[in-house]
C-alpha cells in the first residue's frame, strides 16, 4: 500500500531557546531513517527559529492555528503566517485543545478546512476519553470526530494525517496495547472505506499517540494499520531518534 511512516514530535508548551537548539542538534546527528517522514510540532514563538535551523529532511509544524487568514484575533496565528515563515504543517484538534480550550468538532473542522485551503498539511487528532472507552463508545467517538472532518477535508486527504490519540494514554505512561491501537486504526480504515472511499482508506496515514517511548515503539510500529506516531514527552528526549527509527 506504500504508506510512508510518519513520526511527529509534539513538543507542546515545552522548551526554551537552548533546549530547542539541543533537540535539533540531536536530530541532526540522528541518524534518522531516511524512509520516515519526521514532523516536529513547535511552540509558535519558536517556529521561525526552529525552521531556520532544521535540516531540510525535518519538517516543522505549528501546534494550532486560527480559521481565517488575518484580523482582530488577539493571540492567534494563521496558516498564512505559518507558511510565510516556511513551515508547511499544523497539528489540529489535539485533545488538549479540545478539553482545555474547549474546541469542539465544528471548530476543529473549520480550522482544518482553512489550513488545507491555504496549502498546509494537517495532522488531525482524534481519540476517546477513558470514560468513553469504558462505556464502550470508542468507535462512536472517533467516527464522530472523523465525520466532522470529512466535508472540511474534501478532496485534500493527501495532505492529511490522522492521529489517533486515546486521551487516557496521553502523558499518563499508560500506552494503548498494540492490539488496542491496531483495533481502532483498523476500524477507522473500514469506516473511511465506507464513508469516504476505498482509496482514502488505503492511503491515509494513521498515527498512534499516547505515551509512545523507545521501549514500546517497535511493537506498535509492527501493527499493520499503524503508520507512525505522534509523540509528546519522548519527543523532547534523545530517544525520539529511536522512535523515528522504530520500523528499522
Ligand atoms: O499528546 C501526545 C502527542 O500529541 C502524546 O503525549 P505523550 O507522548 O506525552 O503521552
Amino acid at each position: 500500500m506504500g504508506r510512508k511512516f510518519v513520526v511527529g514530535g509534539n513538543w507542546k508548551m515545552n522548551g526554551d531557546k537552548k533546549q530547542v537548539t539541543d533537540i535539533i542538534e540531536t536530530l541532526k546527528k540522528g541518524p534518522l531513517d531516511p524512509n520516515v517522514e519526521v514532523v516536529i510540532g513547535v511552540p509558535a514563538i519558536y517556529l521561525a527559529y526552529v525552521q531556520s535551523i532544521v535540516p531540510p529532511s525535518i519538517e516543522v509544524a505549528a501546534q494550532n492555528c486560527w480559521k481565517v487568514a488575518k484580523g482582530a484575533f488577539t493571540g492567534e496565528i494563521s496558516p498564512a503566517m505559518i507558511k510565510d515563515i516556511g513551515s508547511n504543517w499544523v497539528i489540529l484538534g489535539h485533545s488538549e485543545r479540545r478539553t482545555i480550550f474547549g474546541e469542539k468538532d465544528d471548530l476543529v473542522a473549520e480550522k482544518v478546512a482553512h489550513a488545507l485551503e491555504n496549502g498546509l498539511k494537517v495532522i488531525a487528532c482524534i481519540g476517546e476519553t477513558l470514560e468513553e472507552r469504558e462505556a464502550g463508545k470508542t468507535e462512536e467517538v472517533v467516527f464522530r470526530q472523523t465525520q466532522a472532518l470529512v466535508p472540511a477535508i474534501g478532496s485534500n486527504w493527501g495532505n492529511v494525517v490522522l492521529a489517533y490519540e486515546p486521551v487516557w494514554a496521553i502523558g499518563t505512561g499508560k500506552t494503548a496495547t498494540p492490539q488496542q491501537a491496531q483495533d481502532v486504526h483498523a476500524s477507522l480504515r473500514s469506516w473511511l472505506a465506507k464513508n469516504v472511499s476505498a482509496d482514502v482508506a488505503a492511503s491515509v496515514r494513521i498515527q498512534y499517540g499516547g505515551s509512545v517511548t523507545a521501549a514500546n515503539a517497535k511493537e506498535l510500529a509492527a501493527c499493520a494499520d499503524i503508520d507512525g506516531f505522534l509523540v509528546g514527552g519522548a519527543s523532547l528526549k534523545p530517544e525520539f531518534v529511536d522512535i523515528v527509527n522504530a520500523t528499522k
Side-chain angles (χ1 to χ4, degrees), residues 3 30 48 61 64 70 78 94 124-125 128 131 140 190 217 233 239:
R3 295 188 298 265
N64 182 31
K70 62 179 173 146
S78 71
H94 191 278
C125 306
E128 82 288 0
E131 202 184 4
E140 182 186 320
S190 320
E239 73 180 279

Side-chain angles (χ1 to χ4, degrees), residues 10 12 94-96 125 165 169-172 209-212 230-234:
N10 178 6
K12 309 191 179 182
H94 191 278
S95 74
E96 286 146 21
C125 306
E165 301 204 301
I170 295 178
T172 57
S211 298
V212 175
L230 188 55
V231 185

Side-chain angles (χ1 to χ4, degrees), residues 141-152:
V141 170
V142 298
F143 295 166
R144 186 204 77 223
Q145 291 170 331
T146 311
Q147 175 63 61
L149 299 175
V150 171

